[in-house]
Amino acid sequence: MDIITPGFGLIFWTTIVFLLLMVLLSKFAWKPILSAVKEREASIDKALEEAQSARAEMQNLTSSNEQLLKEARQERESIVKEARVARDKMVAEAKDIASGEAEKIMTAAAAQIEGAKMAAVTELKNHVAQIAVDMAEKVLRSELKDPAGQKASIDRALEDVKLN
Amino acid sequence: MNDTMTFKQLFFGLLTLCSVTVSASTDSHDATQTTESDAPFDPREMIMEHVMDSHSWHIMDWNNYAVSVPLPVILWTEEGLVAFSSSKFHHDTKGHHVVEAGGQRFVNHHEKIYYASQAANHDGAFVEMRDGLAVSAKPVDMSITKTVASLLFSAVLLMWIFFASAKNYRRRGSASPRGIASFTEPLIVFVRDDIAKANIGKHYLRFVPMLLTMFFFIWLNNLMGLIPFFPFGANVTGNIAVTLVLAVIVMLVTNVNGKKAYWQHIFWMPGIPGWVKPLLSLVEFIGIFTKPFSLMIRLFANITAGHIIVLSLVSLVFIFETAWVGPASVLLTLFISILELLVAALQAYIFTLLTALYIGTAMQEDHH
């Protein structure tokens, strides 16, 4: 059968064409294409790796941020707390001082008032006494014009004095 | 009657156009030639003619003239190289027309070139026949036949496709592929990873260029054979000589790269009783040849069978001699053609895959 009998010419040409094709394609097509594909794959791998590490770094950063935030919050709280305590303390102290001072002032004021009152009373007393003396003098003068009256008024006066 | 003839002629023209071989010449006005419509249609002859190689590329018949592209006939004769155009045979393949070139006389007898005998035999052929077989001496035929021309054309196409792809990478570096490279790259990566790397293992990169060339060479030629118009349609990968060359290359590459473990498994298989070893080594030794032989036969048979089926279905109209078979014939041909598209890729894949597998087996390090 001719169909399963390989012809020499075709074997010859196929060998030449196929081998030549293999050499040419290897040099001018497969080599540049395969190296470019490999390069790209390497760069993709690298990019993925970088993305991964960037993500990890980001995660680190986020967690450290959170840590920082937490710490800041804690610090703020403690500061606020401290401030509150200090404020309370200060207020209490101020209260103490103020009340002390107020007491002192009150005491002083009371003493002063007492003093002033006493002075006023003394003065009033003196004054009243003076008036009384003056009046008595006047009365005495008028009453003493007659001796009976003198005596009566002296008695009255004495009685009043006693009553006082 | 006249109407039927025209119809038949028209159909024959279409048939020749649509069938797998196409070919033709400008000087086809040989009035002595018998017209196709005179002779009874012989599907077997037509199919064989289309599936096998020929010295001119027949495109179609038009008004009883064959239109075909003449191809160079190159002969290595007893007196050196002789070359002439195949058109000198005037489409004769029956050994009737003697061509004188380089001081020698040649005839084309069923697409084989013989030294013409002095006198014609009783069939009018200048070939000596014995028991129905031509026994005349033959020069070594190195002609650019239809298959060789198609082979060269496919090589040019392959270089065009892949040089264009490579240019894309030169221009764009390792950026994402554009244009034709975006089509070829997945295929190249597929061959590299799923065929070479998966089957050969560690040193696979060395064989990737060969496997790539093999895969695309077989696939493109399979596909070209399915296109029924000139300059396609030649049965290249369905020619035993072509698959023989590919198989021999596989055999050489496999055995040249055979490691110690590979030869040990062939000649002195470890782990079996001593008396079986010689027996098995004989089987394994034959296996060195049967593996590539199966590659050769598988590709040849699959592609040739595909061509034969398509041509047979197209011939149904002429076998039944009624146009009513036409629609069924067209539908069946369409179906088979689509199947053949799959087969074209599949056979290229199988051939390359098995090649990688054989190389991988030969390269395997000893792990016993």
Side-chain angles (χ1 to χ4, degrees):
Chain A
M1 277 284 273
D2 279 351
I3 195 163
I4 51 164
T5 312
F8 173 79
L10 199 50
I11 291 176
F12 172 78
W13 287 112
T14 308
T15 309
I16 287 183
V17 170
F18 187 80
L19 292 181
L20 209 64
L21 198 62
M22 199 150 84
V23 169
L24 288 175
L25 284 178
S26 296
K27 192 166 186 322
F28 298 111
W30 309 137
K31 214 171 132 195
I33 292 174
L34 286 172
S35 72
V37 169
K38 200 174 168 191
E39 211 174 286
R40 166 141 38 85
E41 279 167 351
S43 83
I44 288 172
D45 281 349
K46 205 174 138 223
L48 283 175
E49 232 164 70
E50 277 172 3
Q52 194 90 30
S53 69
R55 197 181 304 141
E57 213 165 288
M58 197 66 128
Q59 209 137 27
N60 268 354
L61 222 68
T62 314
S63 66
S64 77
N65 259 358
E66 259 165 28
Q67 186 65 29
L68 231 72
L69 215 67
K70 205 169 143 195
E71 275 169 18
R73 204 174 292 134
Q74 273 173 352
E75 210 172 306
R76 190 191 67 182
E77 258 165 39
S78 73
I79 287 171
V80 167
K81 208 163 150 190
E82 264 170 39
R84 198 177 293 134
V85 169
R87 186 193 66 184
D88 287 352
K89 203 172 140 194
M90 258 161 79
V91 167
E93 268 173 15
K95 251 188 203 158
D96 278 359
I97 291 168
S99 63
E101 204 72 8
E103 221 165 292
K104 247 189 239 165
I105 290 168
M106 290 285 272
T107 318
Q112 217 171 348
I113 288 166
E114 194 63 25
K117 196 178 104 186
M118 291 312 281
V121 166
T122 313
E123 207 183 309
L124 198 65
K125 254 185 198 163
N126 289 342
H127 205 66
V128 167
Q130 191 60 46
I131 291 167
V133 168
D134 285 352
M135 274 178 49
E137 194 186 324
K138 277 172 194 174
V139 168
L140 277 175
R141 252 174 230 277
S142 63
E143 281 194 0
L144 284 175
K145 274 165 192 175
D146 86 277
Q150 276 179 5
K151 185 141 170 21
S153 68
I154 287 165
D155 289 343
R156 254 189 338 252
L158 281 173
E159 247 173 284
D160 286 348
V161 166
K162 269 186 196 160
L163 283 169
N164 264 346
Chain B
M1 186 62 196
N2 207 9
D3 272 340
T4 343
M5 290 301 278
T6 330
F7 191 60
K8 202 170 173 182
Q9 278 176 336
L10 179 72
F11 252 91
F12 198 86
L14 280 175
L15 164 73
T16 332
L17 260 175
C18 301
S19 54
V20 179
T21 310
V22 236
S23 78
S25 112
T26 42
D27 79 315
S28 46
H29 304 289
D30 193 345
T32 60
Q33 199 178 342
T34 50
T35 58
E36 300 277 1
S37 45
D38 287 346
F41 178 70
D42 179 5
R44 191 178 163 278
E45 191 186 321
M46 184 275 286
I47 288 169
M48 279 303 145
E49 185 192 307
H50 286 189
V51 162
M52 304 226 333
D53 208 358
S54 63
H55 283 86
S56 68
W57 201 326
H58 183 242
I59 295 177
M60 60 187 242
D61 290 299
W62 192 255
N63 286 338
N64 297 338
Y65 293 116
V67 182
S68 65
V69 175
L71 295 166
V73 176
I74 302 165
L75 302 171
W76 182 261
T77 66
E78 287 150 3
E79 288 160 41
L81 273 179
V82 174
F84 53 91
S85 166
S86 71
S87 63
K88 286 200 172 176
F89 283 119
H90 293 269
H91 305 288
D92 169 49
T93 58
K94 295 193 167 62
H96 292 174
H97 195 99
V98 176
V99 173
E100 282 186 46
Q104 293 168 96
R105 298 162 72 245
F106 305 99
V107 283
N108 181 341
H109 188 254
H110 296 295
E111 292 301 352
K112 280 199 185 118
I113 311 289
Y114 295 90
Y115 292 116
S117 52
Q118 287 305 314
N121 60 17
H122 56 89
D123 288 328
F126 290 81
V127 186
E128 285 166 32
M129 305 289 285
R130 197 175 299 148
D131 301 330
L133 291 170
V135 290
S136 288
K138 284 188 287 185
V140 179
D141 190 352
M142 313 234 281
S143 306
I144 306 296
T145 56
K146 187 175 84 178
T147 309
V148 176
S150 186
L151 191 75
L152 291 168
F153 180 49
S154 77
V156 170
L157 270 184
L158 277 173
M159 286 196 275
W160 181 56
I161 292 169
F162 290 104
F163 288 177
S165 299
K167 203 172 132 198
N168 190 286
Y169 293 94
R170 263 203 304 283
R171 209 175 42 236
R172 291 174 50 82
S174 58
S176 64
R178 288 272 186 284
I180 195 157
S182 62
F183 171 72
T184 55
E185 191 189 302
L187 296 167
I188 292 169
V189 171
F190 170 74
V191 172
R192 188 195 63 178
D193 292 349
D194 293 324
I195 294 180
K197 202 176 178 180
N199 294 297
I200 298 175
K202 211 164 64 186
H203 304 291
Y204 75 99
L205 268 178
R206 202 141 54 88
F207 302 99
V208 171
M210 185 192 77
L211 294 171
L212 281 170
T213 312
M214 213 166 242
F215 178 78
F216 287 109
F217 175 84
I218 296 172
W219 193 26
L220 185 76
N221 276 301
N222 288 352
L223 286 178
M224 280 169 64
L226 292 177
I227 304 171
F229 309 108
F230 180 82
F232 306 102
N235 187 20
V236 177
T237 38
N239 191 302
I240 195 103
V242 175
T243 60
L244 172 82
V245 170
L246 293 175
V248 166
I249 289 172
V250 172
M251 191 180 81
L252 290 177
V253 170
T254 305
N255 290 296
V256 163
N257 287 289
K259 292 272 189 296
K260 194 181 146 216
Y262 169 72
W263 294 113
Q264 196 187 352
H265 274 79
I266 288 172
F267 291 115
W268 210 244
M269 177 78 84
I272 54 160
W275 61 273
V276 190
K277 286 184 192 218
L279 208 69
L280 206 65
S281 76
L282 182 71
V283 174
E284 287 287 335
F285 183 74
I286 295 169
I288 295 175
F289 304 98
T290 51
K291 282 175 189 172
F293 188 80
S294 73
L295 284 180
M296 171 179 85
I297 295 295
R298 185 182 297 107
L299 184 60
F300 155 76
N302 270 284
I303 303 308
T304 301
H307 283 227
I308 290 173
I309 291 170
V310 169
L311 290 166
S312 306
L313 290 172
V314 172
S315 306
L316 281 181
V317 176
F318 306 102
I319 293 167
F320 289 105
E321 292 187 326
T322 165
W324 297 107
V325 187
S329 167
V330 166
L331 277 177
L332 283 169
T333 309
L334 184 68
F335 171 71
I336 292 295
S337 294
I338 290 166
L339 195 71
E340 284 304 309
L341 279 179
L342 178 73
V343 170
L346 198 67
Q347 288 306 320
Y349 170 63
I350 290 174
F351 196 100
T352 322
L353 181 78
L354 288 175
T355 300
L357 203 68
Y358 295 158
I359 296 171
T361 315
M363 297 269 291
Q364 211 161 42
E365 303 290 345
D366 199 359
H367 48 65
H368 285 284

